[in-house]
Each structure stands twice: as C-alpha cells, then as structure tokens.
Amino acid sequence: MQLSRTPESPAPGPGTRRPGGRTARTRAAVRDAVLAGLVEHGYPGLTVEYVAEHSGVHKTTLYRRWGSLEGLLADALDLAGEDSWTPPDTGSLEGDLRALAREVVESFTDPATSVSGSAIIAAAFQSQRAAEALSAYYGERFKRCEPLVQRAVERGELPAAREEGIDAGALARAACAPLFFRLFITREPVDERTADQAAAAAVAAAHAGVFTPASGEARAASDSGASAAKETGTTTEP
C-alpha cells in the first residue's frame, strides 16, 4: 500500500524497450523529481522547471512526453503502481487484514515514507488528473487483494457465495478507510492498535455478509421499497 518511492527497480512502463533501459531510467528519474518537488514545495509550488532541473531531463522533453505538470504527476503515480506488491498472507483473514492495515499505518507514520505519500494525497485534492491517477493506483491495489478472500473461503473462514462472491476490494477498503479518515480528515494519530481495530471491524462485517454483492443489492432494494412505501403512505405503525 506504499505510495512513496521504494528501493525496488521500477517495472517497465509504456515505451520501455527493456528492463533497466534508458526509457525506464528516465521515467524513474522524473518520478523521483516529481516526488521530491511535492515534498519540498507541495503541488501549488511544483513546476516543470523544477522537475527538469532535478531529473536531468530537458524541459522540452518533459513537455513532449508528458504534456503538462499534471501528466508528470499522473505518470509518477502510475509508475508507483507498477511493482510486485501482494497482500499479506498470515494464515488467517483477520491476520491478513491486520497486516494490511498496519502497512497503511507504517507507510504514513514512518518518516522515510510518510512525507511523500502524504504529499501525493494532498496533490489529489488539488488536481483532478492526480485524483484519477490516485484512484487507479488504489483500485489496482484493492484488486490484488482478491487472493486474500479466496484463501479465507478455502480455509472456511468466509462462506463461499453462490454467484458473485465476496467483494475483496470493498473488504480491503473497509480495513483501511478508518485509518485514512484519521490521517487526512480528523488528523488523529494512528498506530497498530487503531489498525487492529479497523481490521477487526472489517472481519465482523465480512462475517455478517456485508461485502457480498447480492446481499448489498437486497438491502438496497429493501431500503428503496421502504422509502416508496413511506412516500405513498402504505407503511403500518406498530
């Protein structure tokens, strides 16, 4: 779930001819410069000139390949998502979600990674294209959580749904969302205890069938029916 630059070599991106080739190195250098600029100046103060100076890539080349500052930022997020991250595999559903939630806490409280990750999220509040790229980044992360649910079903921790199955992305979001709320909305501290609480709540919701698409549709239909009945005055008072 880490947003910041990692020691891993970046995976080949569009136009990359071979792993470790010039295109990949250029893209990584630009990504690093974008992240450094966000940390140093924030999105309002980030400029193409800054990225050119700190990446060693000429400004003309930046405009030709990325089009704009927003294009540079979006590609930096795209590149961050081109890694080999997989969800935790601890041997239990609650253990996996607890480890996942703790990853979020570590990413945004560790001084080595928290500043750049927070700067990217702040930029997403000011740039529509950055917001779309951030959404795609986390969407891909949550999609990778499907094996987490599959393992839980195989172990008998979750029921095997008849049709659509359990929404793994919704389950992973439920384990992480309270942490992001505290980090970026209420600005409250987070730690392993709050991570474990969020994971436990997500597990309880999964056992209650909250993340099964069919049950969610049934609840929505029930709510809709109740609203319609109230509007037409057909409800009965106890």
Side-chain angles (χ1 to χ4, degrees):
M1 289 289 179
Q2 187 167 300
L3 266 171
S4 57
R5 176 174 175 269
T6 67
E8 280 186 273
S9 298
T16 301
R17 296 178 182 175
R18 63 189 185 279
R22 182 177 179 182
T23 301
R25 291 196 298 272
T26 298
R27 196 173 174 217
V30 169
R31 182 270 316 272
D32 290 348
V34 169
L35 294 182
L38 284 175
V39 170
E40 187 174 346
H41 300 292
Y43 180 72
L46 181 64
T47 63
V48 174
E49 288 76 13
Y50 178 98
V51 176
E53 178 183 350
H54 289 78
S55 67
V57 179
H58 197 276
K59 183 169 69 171
T60 303
T61 301
L62 295 177
Y63 277 115
R64 184 176 68 250
R65 290 187 56 184
W66 284 275
S68 66
L69 183 62
E70 287 202 330
L72 288 165
L73 180 55
D75 191 60
L77 276 168
D78 289 343
L79 186 56
E82 294 175 7
D83 61 8
S84 57
W85 181 86
T86 57
D89 184 2
T90 65
S92 72
L93 176 63
E94 184 162 1
D96 290 350
L97 292 177
R98 187 184 299 122
L100 184 68
R102 288 185 179 189
E103 279 189 23
V104 173
V105 169
E106 182 178 0
S107 294
F108 290 100
T109 57
D110 184 343
T113 59
S114 62
V115 178
S116 56
S118 297
I120 290 172
I121 289 179
F125 281 93
Q126 302 169 73
S127 161
Q128 180 60 33
R129 191 164 179 189
E132 292 168 356
L134 185 66
S135 177
Y137 171 87
Y138 276 112
E140 173 60 24
R141 280 295 194 267
F142 292 132
K143 185 177 180 181
R144 295 187 200 182
C145 289
E146 290 177 1
L148 184 151
V149 168
Q150 293 169 359
R151 293 192 299 261
V153 171
E154 291 168 0
R155 289 190 296 258
E157 295 176 279
L158 292 175
R162 295 177 181 176
E163 296 180 1
E164 296 92 340
I166 295 170
D167 189 335
L171 175 57
R173 285 181 178 89
C176 300
L179 303 171
F180 281 103
F181 184 85
R182 292 174 68 102
L183 283 162
F184 298 106
I185 303 300
T186 61
R187 311 294 290 181
E188 296 175 83
V190 295
D191 53 22
E192 288 190 350
R193 181 172 175 271
T194 51
D196 293 351
Q197 287 177 338
V203 171
H207 287 155
V210 171
F211 305 116
T212 301
S215 65
E217 291 169 5
R219 281 192 297 274
S222 176
D223 291 343
S224 176
S227 297
K230 184 176 181 180
E231 289 174 4
T232 58
T234 56
T235 55
T236 58
E237 294 296 332

